[in-house]
Amino acid sequence: MAVDVNLASLGESILEGTVSRLLVAPGEWVEVDQPIIEVTTDKVDAEIPSPVAGMIEQLLVREGDVVAIGAVLARIDPD
């Protein structure tokens, strides 16, 4: 069963972020806590880590996309 990677809260008043860089591609293997996506806001730049080890099943965003806090960014297959 795939695990969703969501955009976690990046600060009290931050409601969205811009995907500045994708660090992985579908089909790549990632480890726990490995950065997979970089997100930029007007207040902070952040790397979104993988919550599990597994294969990147799907990237649901592209570089330049503006995404809301809580949005699903990627899916990882831990099997």
Side-chain angles (χ1 to χ4, degrees), residues 30-48:
V30 294
E31 297 298 330
V32 174
D33 293 331
Q34 177 181 336
I36 58 173
I37 298 173
E38 289 182 356
V39 175
T40 303
T41 72
D42 56 344
K43 296 182 180 183
V44 68
D45 294 339
E47 291 180 334
I48 309 304

Side-chain angles (χ1 to χ4, degrees), residues 4-51:
D4 288 346
V5 179
N6 299 82
L7 181 57
S9 177
L10 299 172
E12 190 173 305
S13 63
I14 298 173
L15 302 176
E16 63 186 17
T18 302
V19 176
S20 54
R21 194 163 71 139
L22 300 173
L23 303 174
V24 295
E28 284 187 43
W29 184 267
V30 294
E31 297 298 330
V32 174
D33 293 331
Q34 177 181 336
I36 58 173
I37 298 173
E38 289 182 356
V39 175
T40 303
T41 72
D42 56 344
K43 296 182 180 183
V44 68
D45 294 339
E47 291 180 334
I48 309 304
S50 174

